[in-house]
Amino acid sequence: MNRFFIFLCFCANLLLAQQTDYVDFKEVKSVLSFNQMKVDSTVFNSYEIKFNILKKTDSVYLDAVNMKFLNVALNETSVEYKNDGKKLIIYNKFKALTSYKLSFLFFASPKQAMYFIGWDNDSRNQIWTQGQGKYTSHWLPSIDDMNDKIEFDISCVAPKGYQVISNGKMISKRETPTYNLWEFDMQKPMASYLVALVIGKYDKKVEYSKSGISLEMYYYPEDSLKVEPTYRYSKQMFDFLEEEIGVSYPWQNYKQVPVKDFLYAGMENTSTTIFADSFVIDSVAFADKNYVNVNAHELAHQWFGDLVTETSGTHHWLQEGFATYYALLAERDIFGDDYYYWRLYEYAQELLEQDMAGGGTSLLNPKSSSTTFYKKGAWVLHLLRELVGDKAFKKAVKSYLIKYEFKNVETQNFIAEIEKASGLDLSEFVELWLNNKVFNYDDALVSLKKSTFIQEYLMVDCEVYTSKCSDYLGSGVSDEAKIKVVSQIPNHLKKEDFKNSLKVRQAIARNVSKIPSELKTTYESLLDDASYVTIETALFNLWKNFPQERHKYLDKTKGIQGFGDKNVRMLWLALVLITDDYNTDNKTQYFEELTNYTSPKFGFEARQNAFQYLTLIQACNDTCKENLKQATKHHNWRFKKFAKSLLD
């Protein structure tokens, strides 16, 4: 499907594994022009790339999927080339130890990797990229192999009123009456999958790290009150990671940009993290769903993944395991040791469940699950640090990053640095934790029990109800222990048990679905909690348990929206529509509102909620069904899968 996008691109590019012995691509300069944002735009874009030939060869190539080319020139002279739909192959008698410049015009109409949001409906207008894997070559001639690193300097022409964000530092913004030219400079090389571009309407807040790095936090203009809760602890985490890792942040600045209908939680493009705008939250939502972990994870990738990059999927844990572990360290600095050990405990439970289901794999299996790469990888680093000690561990990590900066690495490169710093032979550790398909849960539990918090949690158990259980919720045990008790004895709770923290009260709302009459008034207080999850759960349970009080509960929660997916509002609308004697004059209006949430104007999370509620109350009309059919073609594969299953 042709996308409106005049693509002027002065862009120097990259290479694949077989080429790295012959060619060293150095610098890409790209000018992307979006001056006619309409479907079927067919203007070509310019492109320029500089490279050195290491050994003589008769051809070089760039990955370029479904693109068209004109004026292909080598050192300003026309050159023979072939476009096979996947690669642009340049034929020439390339001489060793010689520098070349390749330039051309190209046109791309990407079906993936670059997404045009809202231009054909009433949604906010955005363009954003997601190139992880081998996808940047769908919108920009490049090299799919992550082993070839290049300096990308991107410029972009876009209509006035739109912000452009890309990798590196913005060095100029040239304005015309209708368009602006944004120019960005990268000083260091990176893998092609980390090239990023976002075009949209944003404001930004800027802070500075202790080391002087500018931290640019973008937000939609209407979300100014959500900036603080969304980006809470950002500077603290940045400063902590620089100090903890021991290697200065390797790029000129750090930007974070929310986008609509993103494919994942976040993506660590070099110096420019893109994340799902569902994480843009208010202060109430922070207690239930916040951006802190994703924020820390993508930031840690700026060192582990962007500065040093895996050679292949076999070593994927060097990126995801490290980012998970260092994000957890950053959160530990904020929330404390108990939080750190609790998350490790949760990771261990998830890994144990995976093993019990027969899904356990080696950490070095390129086909391992995210649970293995992320959670098991983090556990390996935790245990390795315990084994060799803080001093040796930090020394090794610093040496590893400095030695392999802007290069590609394998697991043995890291293990060798740990062995060198500690003086230990780690072959047994590697076999037990990296090569073994099974997660050694019992050994992990030994490590966890070094925390008195975990010891207490494991000690508190009410699977078999005793008199002691009734005392736990009023004692000084941790919230996590109390939550476990609530889940085990939901039918034994008393009024005084509600006198607990927000998290424990949320557990009560979640576990007590059949509300005893003696707890009715106390349970109703949950509707006043600063938690959209609690309010949503309590509203449904109260509405279901006490039909005679439904008007009161609906009146009380009428104006609450909830998260970005409008979880509370949509439940409220669905309940209103099936409550016969409530607000009957406005039911048509409420039905239209709920149906409207299925339209592409809204994020896929909100649309999914609306589809589910309309299906549950058997009210998915023609408009709803048409929007559902449209959703089966959505670029977000999870939402697409959901829509197809619901349609079937």
Side-chain angles (χ1 to χ4, degrees), residues 155-168:
S155 299
C156 181
V157 176
K160 294 184 77 67
Y162 286 89
Q163 186 90 10
V164 175
I165 304 109
S166 188
N167 312 88

Side-chain angles (χ1 to χ4, degrees), residues 24 54 85 98 110 146 148 172 197 271 275 301 357 373 413 422 453 464 488 490 494-495 629 642:
D24 180 15
L54 307 177
T98 305
M146 66 184 71
D148 197 347
S172 72
L197 182 70
S271 78
F275 68 96
H301 268 310
F373 286 133
N413 299 134
S422 67
F453 167 79
V464 177
Q488 292 171 334
K494 304 181 295 296
K495 290 182 180 180
K629 289 179 183 178
F642 160 82

Side-chain angles (χ1 to χ4, degrees), residues 4 105 130 270 296 303 346 380 401 406 488 497 576 579 624:
F4 35 92
L105 301 177
Q130 169 57 23
T270 307
W303 287 268
E346 289 184 316
V380 163
L401 289 172
F406 311 112
Q488 292 171 334
D497 296 332
V576 166
T579 303
C624 168

Side-chain angles (χ1 to χ4, degrees), residues 335-351:
F335 302 121
D337 288 350
D338 291 351
Y339 176 91
Y340 172 80
Y341 280 102
W342 174 247
R343 290 307 301 264
L344 282 176
Y345 175 78
E346 289 184 316
Y347 294 171
Q349 296 305 118
E350 189 176 339
L351 288 161

